Amino acid sequence: ALSMSQDTHKLSVDGLHAYYGKSHVLHGVQFDVNPGEIVALLGRNGSGRSTTAKAIMGMVEAEGRVTWRGQPLTGKKPYEIAHLGLGYVPENRDIFPKLTVHQNLLLGQKGSGKGSRWGFDDMYAMFPRLKERQHTEAGVMSGGEQQMLTLCRTLMGDPDLIMIDEPTEGLAPAIVQLVAEYLKELKRRGISVVLVEQKLAIALQISDRVYVMGDRRIVFEGTPAELKADANIRKEWLEV
């Protein structure tokens, strides 16, 4: 019975192709994410990582097979996919700059927020800085604070799987470490994480498994240890 429930709680991507107009930007991407697992999607800029996350969320034109807990997602609208328990944190942070921190978080709630694993207290405990600034307009905060806010706003919707695009981009090393700890906390609470990242260090530190993208397809799948040991893959597809 376990394998059945494991399988139904899984995200599975098979033969995913995506298009921006006439341009064919993903070529048969294939990977999966098991319950409570942190999976990193690595690659250089332009390798197709962000497009993969957007295609799963229904934000770009795509074909192929994407299933979540046994349900097909391809063809669904982003809000329908979000209601099924998937969260997405975009790279550009997408906060509401004129609203306060508290109002931004409130907008992330689905329904009344009752029964959610996360509430304001959790967010403020995890990131005391957000608590200090809860009545501040989000637009005046630093990049690191806005990144925390975007992550927290997505969590207020109580997703079971969260895809995070470049969460450490432009952040100071101490804040990068905070984000890493925070992602491990999500895993402890049973949430699966897809980390779309260019930085190798954070991915190797916290991931259970890593996929490397190159030429808009998956070119490597393995554990962080296996990727560390594979100098050729790192040299060809990751190192700038």
Side-chain angles (χ1 to χ4, degrees):
L2 182 66
S3 65
M4 176 67 188
S5 77
Q6 286 287 71
D7 204 48
T8 52
H9 277 73
K10 180 168 154 175
L11 175 72
S12 179
V13 177
D14 191 13
L16 184 66
H17 292 259
Y19 304 86
Y20 288 128
K22 287 200 165 61
S23 125
H24 188 178
V25 290
L26 289 183
H27 298 265
V29 170
Q30 191 162 348
F31 73 98
D32 51 41
V33 184
N34 297 309
E37 188 175 45
I38 298 179
V39 169
L41 207 51
L42 296 165
R44 293 192 184 114
N45 279 339
S47 60
R49 297 160 311 160
S50 295
T51 304
T52 299
K54 287 177 181 156
I56 292 167
M57 276 314 282
M59 296 164 78
V60 297
E61 190 190 334
E63 55 193 42
R65 197 161 169 269
V66 179
T67 56
W68 165 242
R69 297 170 158 173
Q71 283 195 56
L73 297 186
T74 321
K76 285 192 176 6
K77 300 203 162 34
Y79 71 87
E80 294 172 321
I81 292 170
H83 276 289
L84 292 172
L86 270 72
Y88 172 63
V89 181
E91 185 185 1
N92 58 6
R93 300 187 179 139
D94 264 0
I95 52 154
F96 295 95
K98 290 287 179 202
L99 298 182
T100 65
V101 165
H102 201 79
Q103 288 166 332
N104 266 278
L105 290 177
L106 200 54
L107 283 170
Q109 269 188 358
K110 287 203 192 98
S112 66
K114 285 194 176 75
S116 169
R117 276 166 287 201
W118 308 91
F120 289 104
D121 292 347
D122 289 293
M123 301 301 139
Y124 293 151
M126 217 169 345
F127 292 124
R129 191 82 183 112
L130 290 184
K131 184 173 188 179
E132 288 166 27
R133 311 211 66 172
Q134 59 183 298
H135 304 301
T136 303
E137 281 189 7
V140 303
M141 300 201 304
S142 72
E145 290 165 344
Q146 290 183 9
Q147 184 61 274
M148 292 172 205
L149 177 58
T150 316
L151 285 166
C152 290
R153 189 183 64 198
T154 303
L155 280 181
M156 291 290 281
D158 203 24
D160 295 304
L161 180 145
I162 191 165
M163 292 188 288
I164 305 182
D165 197 352
E166 298 275 8
T168 63
E169 185 60 38
L171 300 187
I175 305 286
V176 169
Q177 204 43 52
L178 187 65
V179 171
E181 291 307 319
Y182 166 99
L183 295 179
K184 288 194 279 196
E185 174 63 22
L186 298 192
K187 179 183 166 165
R188 280 193 287 274
R189 295 199 187 199
I191 294 173
S192 311
V193 177
V194 177
L195 175 63
V196 177
E197 187 54 83
Q198 202 176 352
K199 291 194 185 86
L200 200 53
I202 183 174
L204 292 178
Q205 179 196 334
I206 67 171
S207 303
D208 297 298
R209 289 185 304 117
V210 289
Y211 290 90
V212 176
M213 290 192 73
D215 285 348
R216 298 162 184 190
R217 59 193 170 85
I218 302 286
V219 293
F220 171 90
E221 173 195 350
T223 62
E226 285 164 344
L227 181 57
K228 266 184 196 157
D230 196 330
N232 290 340
I233 283 284
R234 290 201 317 276
K235 190 169 173 204
E236 187 172 356
W237 302 110
L238 291 171
E239 284 156 15
V240 180

